[in-house]
Amino acid sequence: MLFDEAIPSWQQRELHRIKSDLPADAVFRAFDELTWSEVPVFKALMSVRGLARGRGGDARIYDWFKSAGFVELARSDSELVVGAIEPVTKRRITTPTNPAEFAAFSDPGYVKIGFSFVVRYGQILTETRVAATDVTARRRFAAYWLLIRPFSGIIRWAWLRAIRIRAQKSAVITR
């Protein structure tokens, strides 16, 4: 898996899946094009954290992730991997410009956050991994993770469902 190359070890992990017999290209097209209006619970929960305010309903979610510092780390016919580097104990935000920079980053006080979407075995899977760059960042993020993990799960489930619905509509239109 491409995700194993991007984040081979981690301290926090979450995995969600949904059944789908749709072709991977339709799923990834749906992922790329999905808008906030198609996943209102996602926007609502991100807004609570102050992250999605001002995002119009027709704005694409993936475009927001890219504008927020996430970079596409890898993409194949069956997998997409995206990652960002977030400060936990530092104030300086850093944005990797490419996969090699993401992999090499090790400054203390940060977490590397990655998520993947995989289409295989009749499922769409999403996995989130978080790798801290030092012990202090690991401890601080672990406390934060305890609070947000249930909401992260709700977001991931709603996101997967919306991707599947959009991909199904696209598959019907193209037939």
Side-chain angles (χ1 to χ4, degrees), residues 80-173:
L80 168 67
V81 180
V82 178
I85 299 168
E86 296 288 329
V88 176
T89 63
K90 304 289 184 183
R91 293 185 186 267
R92 182 180 58 88
I93 294 174
T94 186
T95 302
T97 58
N98 60 59
E101 190 176 304
F102 180 86
F105 187 86
S106 63
D107 291 2
Y110 293 85
V111 291
K112 293 180 178 181
I113 301 170
F115 63 86
S116 70
F117 283 86
V118 178
V119 178
R120 68 174 175 199
Y121 309 124
Q123 298 180 67
I124 307 168
L125 300 98
T126 184
E127 182 177 355
T128 303
R129 294 179 184 175
V130 181
T133 58
D134 67 357
V135 173
T136 303
R138 180 183 311 164
R139 286 185 188 136
R140 287 191 181 175
F141 189 83
Y144 173 73
W145 188 250
L146 281 174
L147 294 173
I148 67 144
R149 187 170 184 187
F151 304 105
S152 176
I154 292 167
I155 287 171
R156 298 303 185 272
W157 179 85
W159 201 358
L160 285 172
R161 187 172 175 273
I163 290 168
R164 183 178 64 188
I165 289 168
R166 181 179 259 275
Q168 286 170 332
K169 288 178 184 175
S170 171
V172 169
I173 291 170

